[in-house]
Amino acid sequence: MVSKISSIFALVAVMAVSGNAQTQIQGITFAGSEDAPNSSHNLPKNALAVAPISDLKSKAFACRTSGFNFPKVESYEATGGEMFIVAWDKQALTKGPQIKGPCNHWLASTASGTDNLKWFRIGERGYTAADGWCTDVIRRDGQLVVSMPDDLPVGEYIFRNEVIDLTYAGKTNADDPTMGAQFYADCLKYKVAGGKNQKMPTEGLVSLPGAYLATDKGLLVNLTAEGKPPGDKYTVPGPALHNQRK
């Protein structure tokens, strides 16, 4: 069964606190109708529930899971070029330690299966002096708006929502196991229908793990005492965005 999206859909996630701030996609909202949490969203069956990942070479890095065994539930359908909303539980975000960092949004086509997926970035939000970090915007507004590319081939994709916590990013995890950027990534499987239905992009495709180095600009960062990047300037890590390669 396929759920149609008339205008926007929300990927509703919650940050729970158990020692460290933690986040995961918990439910789906279509046109204002929210599914029950942990029921019909398409997280892989063996996804790590809440723990972040600091090991950039971890096999579980892409979706906090060791594989892509998605449950056989509804496939969510989106039209290329639509806007969708990534949303979190604002109340949960205000509890416990407050993570600080950027957000990335990725897609990978499953046309050739889920082995050796190739990912490309479709959206990002870093830091501005006016709004703070992406995590500050989420904490304040509870949501981010992301544009679905309008030139993708019709087919099934995995959407990867990534929040990067830079609280302990002054050293790499390899240099100090208690340090390093922490990645909270969750994945959702859905179908793209409509749009311009062009060929799959061939440039800017990366593997996860493999897209990041621990010393990348944007991952090895000494935040100020106020949780800001040095000089209030920051570059979100990752390859060029899909719409910047056209």
Side-chain angles (χ1 to χ4, degrees):
M1 178 180 179
V2 176
S3 293
K4 298 290 184 178
I5 305 175
S6 59
S7 57
I8 59 173
F9 66 87
L11 305 180
V12 181
V14 60
M15 280 195 174
V17 176
S18 176
N20 292 321
Q22 299 170 347
T23 178
Q24 68 177 129
I25 293 174
Q26 192 177 29
I28 306 299
T29 298
F30 290 100
S33 176
E34 184 176 332
D35 293 334
N38 294 319
S39 60
S40 59
H41 64 295
N42 244 338
L43 287 175
K45 289 182 179 179
N46 54 345
L48 302 175
V50 291
I53 291 180
S54 295
D55 181 2
L56 301 185
K57 297 180 181 179
S58 170
K59 293 182 179 180
F61 184 81
C63 299
R64 288 192 289 178
T65 174
S66 58
F68 295 95
N69 184 21
F70 286 89
K72 294 182 180 180
V73 296
E74 291 180 310
S75 293
Y76 305 115
E77 188 170 302
T79 300
E82 286 187 308
M83 307 292 286
F84 58 95
I85 298 174
V86 183
W88 287 259
D89 185 325
K90 291 171 60 176
Q91 184 176 2
L93 275 166
T94 62
K95 299 177 181 179
Q98 295 190 357
I99 69 175
K100 295 283 187 180
C103 304
N104 272 321
H105 308 289
W106 302 73
L107 284 179
S109 170
T110 62
S112 300
T114 56
D115 292 333
N116 302 314
L117 287 172
K118 297 301 181 182
W119 301 85
F120 54 98
R121 288 198 310 146
I122 64 169
E124 67 175 30
R125 184 141 191 170
Y127 178 89
T128 66
D131 294 330
W133 290 106
C134 174
T135 50
D136 296 324
V137 175
I138 295 170
R139 191 172 292 110
R140 182 180 66 245
D141 301 337
Q143 65 184 34
L144 299 172
V145 177
V146 182
S147 298
M148 177 69 64
D150 65 357
D151 58 352
L152 299 178
V154 170
E156 290 192 347
Y157 292 80
I158 297 176
F159 170 78
R160 179 177 184 267
N161 178 60
E162 175 185 75
V163 175
I164 306 174
D165 181 17
L166 299 176
T167 305
Y168 305 102
K171 294 182 180 180
T172 69
N173 183 252
D175 290 335
D176 185 341
T178 67
M179 300 288 285
Q182 295 186 326
F183 293 78
Y184 297 88
D186 289 307
C187 296
L188 175 78
K189 190 175 182 180
Y190 69 96
K191 294 180 179 179
V192 170
K196 297 178 182 178
N197 194 25
Q198 296 183 3
K199 292 182 179 181
M200 191 63 200
T202 57
E203 296 182 2
L205 300 180
V206 297
S207 297
L208 294 171
Y212 294 121
L213 295 176
T215 54
D216 281 349
K217 184 177 181 180
L219 291 185
L220 187 59
V221 181
N222 273 304
L223 301 186
T224 67
E226 295 79 22
K228 300 178 181 181
D232 278 2
K233 295 180 179 180
Y234 180 78
T235 300
V236 179
L241 293 171
H242 176 70
N243 63 2
Q244 293 176 346
R245 299 198 309 271
K246 298 178 182 180

